[in-house]
């Protein structure tokens, strides 16, 4: 076999120089690893090239991004007591002392346009009663709330919850110090909190910071757990502490190189790329396990360690390279997605898998040669442990009941694929967090006790200065009325409420509330009065663009809503277009819309990546097997893991999102690894078969040679995927279950389904038999 032996002497004979090269490169990469950054803006979660993002960007240009941190404080006794209002005032004063804070708004300092003693002006909301600060009477407060909807964030309708709105200076919105800023705000609130009161914090900066936290925690925790699991599994499999240490060093180098790659390519750490730490560990360990397993086998007949290492590399070098190539291609197929974070993980893992192969193929033989020869006792222990007993039982079952095994596999695949129509899509940012996470519980607290924080932005565009006319205001009124009637909408914030409130103040009691819809003079007067102050101008800029050709309404979504976001958006769009009746152009935008629009992209990515992965992997298998027939046969065990991915997502309600979108393509890439080793060995057994030997005998010998390594790598992969269940990211947890299920089914596909199909189907046996028809009947 001269062709196969070309590179193995180089890897073994020049191992010292190669190891030195790896050490030098690893040392040079340390500064790059230390410069790895977090995705503080979460821009990698947005498809910036999508039409939905373009519309949202235009909206931000017209009306700005009113981004703030919202603190909700609940007091069952009510928020109108002098003691509570004093506490709020104290909180505000201390929060304003935080250097990064731009301004703070709450009940103690908010001013509203109103009439007092016959004089109109901007006055504090609170009034003096018996020498203390107090809320206006209930009717007066309700009238102000109806006109100035932003007060929904400062006091709840039942007057039991108060809010504090905190705006940060622009330069601190995406700062690495954001976690510290939020912590200081929390400490201030907790220190000044009245007895028996409780609070929660929500807002875009809070969500962004928590997303960064879970990305870092996932990366560190998953990396540590995978390192521990792979080391312990290796120790059990090979019964040698030094071999386990070798494995840890080898895959550790691969992880370092991948992190350096991320830093060099300006790929930040986010909710998807944080999985690199563990995934590279798990996938790289496969090559190490196969090298060590074949080294152990070679050592039983070859006492010379260098020759044993060369034999092991000669046996598994080409299959391991092809395994790495197929897994790399599977990851690369997900790069067709336009979602940046999906592209980033696809790229890093596609390159990282090959990095793991290179470091494993260089370092593992070099380290094994340094160790003492494998003793006879260790070899005996590896042939009598629970893994060996399980494989022996499985082999006996498959070869005794091949047809039953084949039929069972087919039925299982059909049942799994039947669940695919039930798959739902969740691309919303909040889907990143578990329901028990602080950010979710705080958000629920704020929405339940104060006001909804999720919203859709509705913009209507007409001609220049169109919204300075009563006719336009009628359309806005009808639009607001229709939107508020929708079951999933809690309220609508529009300029109509503000203008009606201003008109009622200016015209006095008993005036006609419909004057705004008939008299342009009244409308212009109300707009002019509002714009007298800087606060009024800022308020108008939330509702109108500079030319008054666009009007902006905010439809707040109910906290208890169960309707999918895509359905709510469609309902708002349909109702809005019916309300304006073609009078203007209506668009619905906002972050919720941008994420929902990516749902189609996620589905398209899933389907396309699976198709590309199947085609690419099949071609590579044909090249590896040097046979079209064997390449097609190798697809047999790869159908069950894909089926189980779709089945688990459908039957168990696991959503398709920016992380689980990888699952099917990766299942193909990982599942095919063991198939390659198994079929390569079958091909080798058939080629070397003596006259009169049967296909069944070749399959049995192949099973005995490769099954242990296949089982060992699968155990490590399953345990590694299950470690994701301990991470704080919900998509990662789901991905862990999917990955573990796919690996288990892939192993059964190789050890049960494929041999059963070969033994049960004559045309498959004939395809294998044609390789050496003179030897194998």
């Amino acid at each position: 076999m001269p062709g196969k032996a070309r590179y193995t002497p180089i890897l073994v004979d020049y191992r010292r120089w190669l190891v030195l090269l790896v050490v030098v490169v690893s040392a040079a990469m340390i500064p790059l690893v230390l410069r790895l950054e977090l995705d503080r803006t979460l821009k990698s979660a947005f498809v910036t090239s999508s039409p939905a993002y373009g519309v949202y960007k235009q909206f931000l240009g017209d009306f700005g991004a009113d981004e703030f941190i919202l603190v909700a404080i609940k007091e069952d006794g009510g928020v109108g007591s002098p003691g509570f209002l004093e506490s709020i005032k104290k909180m505000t004063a201390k929060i304003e002392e935080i250097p990064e804070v731009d301004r703070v708004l709450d009940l103690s300092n908010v001013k509203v346009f109103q009439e007092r003693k016959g004089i109109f002006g901007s006055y504090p909301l609170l009034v003096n009663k018996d020498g203390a600060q107090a809320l206006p009477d209930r009717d007066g407060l309700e009238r102000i709330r109806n006109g100035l909807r932003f007060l929904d964030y400062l006091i709840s309708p039942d007057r039991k919850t108060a809010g504090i709105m905190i705006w940060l200076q622009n330069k601190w919105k995406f700062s690495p110090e954001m976690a510290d800023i939020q912590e200081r705000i929390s400490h201030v609130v907790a220190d000044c909190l009245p007895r028996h009161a409780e609070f929660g914090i929500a807002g875009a900066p809070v969500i962004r910071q928590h997303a960064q936290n879970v990305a870092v925690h996932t990366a560190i925790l998953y990396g540590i757990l995978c390192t521990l699991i792979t080391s312990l599994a290796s120790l059990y499999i090979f019964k040698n502490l030094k071999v386990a240490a070798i494995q840890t060093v080898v895959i550790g180098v691969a992880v370092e190189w991948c992190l350096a790659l991320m830093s060099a390519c300006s790929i930040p750490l986010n909710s998807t790329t944080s999985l690199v730490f563990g995934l590279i560990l798990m996938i790289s360990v496969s090559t190490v396990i196969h090298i060590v397993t074949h080294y152990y086998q070679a050592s039983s007949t070859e006492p010379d360690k260098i020759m044993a290492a060369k034999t092991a590399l000669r046996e598994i070098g080409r299959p391991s390279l092809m395994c790495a190539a197929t897994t790399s291609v599977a990851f690369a197929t997900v790069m067709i997605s336009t979602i940046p974070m999906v592209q980033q993980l696809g790229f890093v893992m596609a390159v990282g898998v090959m990095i793991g192969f290179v470091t494993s193929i260089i370092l593992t033989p070099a380290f094994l040669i340094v160790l003492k020869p494998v003793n006879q006792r260790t070899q005996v222990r590896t042939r009598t442990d629970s893994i060996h007993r399980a494989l022996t039982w499985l082999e006996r079952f498959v070869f005794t009941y091949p047809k039953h095994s084949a039929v069972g596999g087919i039925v299982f695949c059909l049942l799994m694929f039947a669940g695919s129509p039930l798959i739902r899509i969740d691309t919303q940012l909040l889907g990143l967090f578990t329901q028990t996470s602080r950010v979710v519980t705080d958000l629920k607290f704020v929405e339940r006790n104060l006001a909804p924080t999720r919203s859709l932005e509705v913009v209507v565009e007409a001609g220049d200065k169109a919204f300075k006319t009563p006719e336009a205001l009628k359309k806005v009124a009808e639009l607001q009325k229709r939107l508020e009637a929708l079951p999933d909408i809690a309220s609508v914030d529009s300029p109509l409420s503000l203008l009606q409130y201003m008109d009622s103040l200016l015209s006095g009691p008993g005036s006609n509330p419909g004057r705004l819809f008939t008299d342009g003079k009244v409308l212009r007067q109300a707009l002019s009065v509002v714009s007298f102050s800087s606060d009024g101008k800022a308020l108008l800029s939330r509702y109108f663009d500079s030319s008054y050709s666009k009007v902006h309404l905010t439809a707040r979504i109910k906290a208890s809503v169960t309707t999918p976001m895509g359905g709510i958006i469609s309902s708002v769009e349909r109702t809005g277009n019916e309300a304006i009746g073609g009078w203007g152009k209506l668009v619905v935008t906002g972050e919720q819309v941008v994420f929902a629009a990516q749902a189609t992209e996620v589905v398209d990515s899933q389907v396309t990546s699976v198709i590309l992965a199947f085609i690419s992997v099949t071609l590579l298998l044909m090249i590896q097997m040097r046979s079209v027939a064997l390449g097609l046969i190798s697809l047999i065990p790869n159908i069950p893991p894909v089926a189980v991915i779709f089945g688990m997502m459908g039957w168990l309600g696991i959503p398709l999102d920016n992380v689980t979108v990888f699952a099917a393509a990766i299942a193909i890439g990982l599942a095919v690894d063991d198939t390659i080793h198994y079929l390569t060995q079958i091909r080798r057994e058939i080629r070397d078969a003596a006259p009169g030997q049967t296909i069944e005998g070749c399959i049995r010998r192949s099973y005995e040679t490769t099954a242990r390594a296949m089982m060992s790598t699968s155990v490590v992969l399953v345990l590694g995927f299950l470690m994701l269940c301990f991470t704080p990211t919900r998509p990662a947890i789901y991905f862990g279950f999917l990955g573990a299920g796919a690996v288990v089914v892939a192993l059964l596909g190789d050890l049960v389904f494929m041999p059963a199909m070969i033994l049960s189907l004559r045309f498959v046996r004939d395809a294998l038999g044609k390789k050496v028809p003179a030897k194998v009947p």
Side-chain angles (χ1 to χ4, degrees):
M1 293 173 286
K4 288 188 177 182
R6 289 177 186 171
Y7 65 90
T8 49
I10 296 176
L11 292 173
V12 176
D13 295 338
Y14 293 90
R15 62 189 181 278
R16 293 183 179 87
W17 291 103
L18 291 172
V19 171
L20 179 62
L21 177 62
V22 171
V23 171
V24 171
V25 172
S26 299
M29 287 182 174
I30 293 176
L32 278 175
V33 174
L34 296 177
R35 290 202 298 267
L36 185 64
E37 296 183 349
L38 289 170
D39 180 15
R40 302 191 183 280
T41 64
L42 294 186
K43 285 186 178 179
S44 60
F46 291 95
V47 180
T48 56
S49 60
S50 69
Y53 186 82
V55 173
Y56 180 53
K57 193 173 181 180
Q58 179 64 48
F59 165 78
L60 294 178
D62 291 333
F63 301 100
D66 189 24
E67 184 178 282
F68 53 85
I69 295 174
L70 180 61
V71 181
I73 305 167
K74 183 181 180 183
E75 172 63 82
D76 288 333
V79 300
S81 66
F84 184 89
L85 294 175
E86 186 61 31
S87 298
I88 290 285
K89 185 177 181 179
K90 196 178 297 183
M91 287 181 200
T92 299
K94 289 189 176 183
I95 292 173
E96 287 176 334
E97 291 175 359
I98 298 175
E100 298 85 356
V101 171
D102 183 38
R103 61 192 176 98
V104 182
L105 188 66
D106 65 10
L107 292 175
S108 69
N109 64 6
V110 64
K111 292 182 178 181
V112 297
F113 189 85
Q114 51 188 312
E115 181 267 333
R116 285 188 180 176
K117 298 181 180 179
I119 301 175
F120 291 98
S122 187
Y123 297 105
L125 176 67
L126 299 182
V127 297
N128 283 313
K129 286 186 179 179
D130 300 325
Q133 296 281 288
L135 290 171
D137 62 81
R138 190 171 293 274
D139 291 339
L141 179 59
E142 192 61 26
R143 188 176 72 255
I144 297 173
R145 280 172 48 85
N146 289 336
L148 305 174
R149 289 299 178 91
F150 73 89
L151 287 177
D152 290 346
Y153 293 123
L154 300 185
I155 185 169
S156 62
D158 62 5
R159 300 162 70 109
K160 290 184 177 181
T161 306
I164 301 177
M165 301 171 71
I166 305 166
W167 286 267
L168 301 177
Q169 298 175 21
N170 287 332
K171 65 179 180 179
W172 296 106
K173 287 183 178 179
F174 307 108
S175 168
E177 307 298 325
M178 181 60 72
D180 178 62
I181 297 170
Q182 293 180 21
E183 191 65 25
R184 279 181 279 160
I185 292 173
S186 296
H187 280 313
V188 168
V189 176
D191 290 343
C192 301
L193 196 68
R195 191 178 180 184
H196 304 308
E198 53 184 330
F199 75 98
I201 302 180
V206 176
I207 293 175
R208 276 201 306 268
Q209 181 57 46
H210 199 76
Q212 295 169 30
N213 290 342
V214 297
V216 173
H217 292 165
T218 297
I220 296 174
L221 182 60
Y222 189 39
I224 292 174
L225 289 175
C226 280
T227 301
L228 182 62
I229 286 298
T230 53
S231 299
L232 292 176
S234 179
L235 182 61
Y236 177 80
I237 293 167
F238 299 115
K239 314 298 188 286
N240 190 310
L241 183 60
K242 292 181 179 179
V243 170
I246 288 174
Q247 175 182 280
T248 302
V249 172
V250 171
I251 59 182
V253 171
V255 170
E256 186 211 359
W257 286 22
C258 288
L259 297 182
L261 172 69
M262 289 174 59
S263 181
C265 296
S266 299
I267 295 176
L269 192 66
N270 53 45
S271 59
T272 58
T273 55
S274 61
L275 301 179
V276 167
F277 290 71
L279 289 177
I280 290 295
L281 284 168
M282 290 192 303
I283 294 172
S284 299
V285 79
S286 174
T287 303
V288 178
I289 288 176
H290 279 285
I291 292 174
V292 176
T293 299
H294 282 77
Y295 177 77
Y296 269 37
Q297 292 174 349
S299 297
S300 63
T301 56
E302 177 56 69
D304 184 81
K305 294 187 291 183
I306 293 179
M307 291 305 299
K310 289 182 177 180
T311 300
L313 286 181
R314 187 168 58 247
E315 292 295 323
I316 63 92
R318 181 184 172 94
S320 292
L321 173 61
M322 196 56 63
C323 287
T326 53
T327 305
S328 178
V329 166
F331 275 106
T333 59
V334 302
M335 290 175 61
I336 63 169
S337 171
T338 55
I339 301 174
M341 62 170 54
V342 176
Q343 292 176 337
Q344 290 163 358
L345 181 60
F347 169 74
V348 174
M349 288 304 302
V351 178
V353 168
M354 299 310 298
I355 289 175
F357 169 76
V358 170
T359 56
S360 299
I361 209 80
I362 290 175
L363 297 178
T364 307
F367 290 154
L368 288 174
I369 291 172
V370 175
L371 299 181
K372 293 180 180 180
V374 183
N375 58 56
Q376 188 68 25
R377 181 184 175 190
T378 299
Q379 294 187 21
V380 171
R381 289 172 63 194
T382 60
R383 293 196 294 267
T384 57
D385 60 12
S386 57
I387 293 179
H388 178 80
R389 291 193 295 272
L391 291 172
T392 301
W393 179 87
L394 200 60
E395 177 188 12
R396 189 181 304 118
F397 178 83
V398 173
F399 284 89
T400 304
Y401 306 103
K403 291 185 179 179
H404 295 79
S405 301
V407 171
I410 293 172
V411 171
F412 173 80
C413 290
L414 293 176
L415 287 174
M416 290 295 100
F417 278 124
S420 57
L422 303 176
I423 296 176
R424 62 185 180 88
I425 307 168
D426 182 8
T427 55
Q428 295 297 316
L429 186 59
L430 286 176
L432 178 66
F433 311 114
T434 62
Q435 292 301 304
T436 57
S437 64
R438 177 66 186 271
V439 69
V440 173
T441 55
D442 271 9
L443 180 64
K444 288 181 177 179
F445 176 85
V446 171
E447 292 193 331
R448 183 174 62 251
N449 295 293
L450 190 59
T453 59
R454 291 179 298 168
S455 62
L456 300 176
E457 313 301 336
V458 181
V459 178
V460 181
E461 181 178 2
D464 189 38
K465 297 184 179 179
F467 291 100
K468 281 191 172 183
T469 64
E471 293 78 14
L473 205 59
K474 282 183 182 178
K475 294 293 183 181
V476 175
E478 181 63 21
L479 176 58
Q480 179 173 345
K481 178 182 175 182
R482 295 277 194 97
L483 293 179
E484 287 179 333
L486 294 176
D488 298 314
I489 301 301
S491 64
V492 175
D493 183 7
S494 83
L496 178 62
S497 304
L498 171 64
L499 295 173
Q500 287 179 325
Y501 170 73
M502 295 302 299
D503 181 54
S504 68
L505 289 177
L506 295 172
S507 60
S511 62
N512 179 12
R515 296 192 315 158
L516 288 170
F517 305 125
T518 58
D519 192 337
K521 199 173 185 183
V522 172
L523 174 57
R524 288 190 293 272
Q525 181 187 31
L527 289 171
S528 297
V529 172
V530 175
S531 61
F532 279 161
S533 66
S534 58
D535 289 341
K537 287 179 181 178
L539 198 55
L540 284 178
S541 67
R542 283 179 44 83
Y543 299 119
F544 302 104
D545 68 341
S546 57
S547 64
Y548 282 83
S549 62
K550 296 179 181 178
V551 66
H552 165 219
L553 297 82
T554 299
R556 296 172 183 164
I557 302 168
K558 289 182 178 178
S560 58
V561 67
T562 57
T563 307
M565 189 58 65
I568 298 174
I569 294 169
S570 298
S571 179
V572 169
E573 286 179 336
R574 183 176 60 255
T575 302
N577 282 311
E578 290 174 358
I580 64 174
W583 178 80
K585 178 184 176 184
L586 181 140
V587 295
V588 181
T589 186
E591 285 193 359
Q592 306 291 336
V593 178
V594 175
F595 280 116
Q598 294 177 184
T600 302
E601 167 61 29
V602 169
V603 174
D604 292 343
S605 299
Q606 173 84 308
V607 174
T608 307
S609 63
V610 169
I611 294 173
L612 288 177
F614 257 116
I615 294 173
S616 303
V617 167
T618 301
L619 292 175
L620 288 173
L621 287 170
M622 290 177 179
I623 294 172
Q624 165 64 16
M625 301 303 159
R626 300 173 187 175
S627 165
V628 174
L630 284 179
L632 294 175
I633 290 172
S634 65
L635 290 179
I636 293 174
N638 295 319
I639 296 174
V642 175
V644 81
I645 291 291
F646 289 118
M648 289 178 68
M649 294 180 74
W651 295 121
L652 300 181
I654 297 176
L656 186 64
D657 54 40
N658 292 345
V659 176
T660 56
V661 67
F662 294 105
I666 293 173
I668 296 172
L670 292 179
V672 78
D673 290 358
D674 288 339
T675 306
I676 289 174
H677 286 287
Y678 193 16
L679 281 179
T680 299
Q681 188 61 36
I682 289 178
R683 184 177 178 276
R684 187 181 292 125
E685 293 291 344
I686 293 176
R687 182 196 62 204
D688 298 336
Q693 289 188 347
T694 63
I695 288 287
E696 181 177 340
C698 294
I699 295 174
R700 281 184 179 273
R701 288 192 298 276
S702 301
Y703 186 100
E704 293 167 357
T705 302
T706 60
R708 183 177 181 85
M710 291 162 62
M711 173 74 85
S712 300
T713 56
S714 295
V715 167
V716 172
L717 286 172
V718 169
L719 293 176
F721 274 118
L722 289 179
M723 290 303 101
L724 282 169
C725 299
F726 297 99
T727 63
T729 312
R730 185 165 59 170
I733 294 172
Y734 289 147
F735 182 66
F737 280 117
L738 293 173
V743 172
V744 170
V745 174
L747 178 65
L748 294 176
D750 285 316
L751 298 182
V752 177
F753 193 51
M754 184 167 64
M757 294 292 284
I758 294 174
L759 296 173
S760 302
L761 301 178
R762 183 175 182 81
F763 73 90
V764 178
R765 291 165 58 89
D766 291 343
L768 286 171
K770 287 179 182 178
K771 298 299 297 180
V772 272
K775 292 183 179 181
V776 184

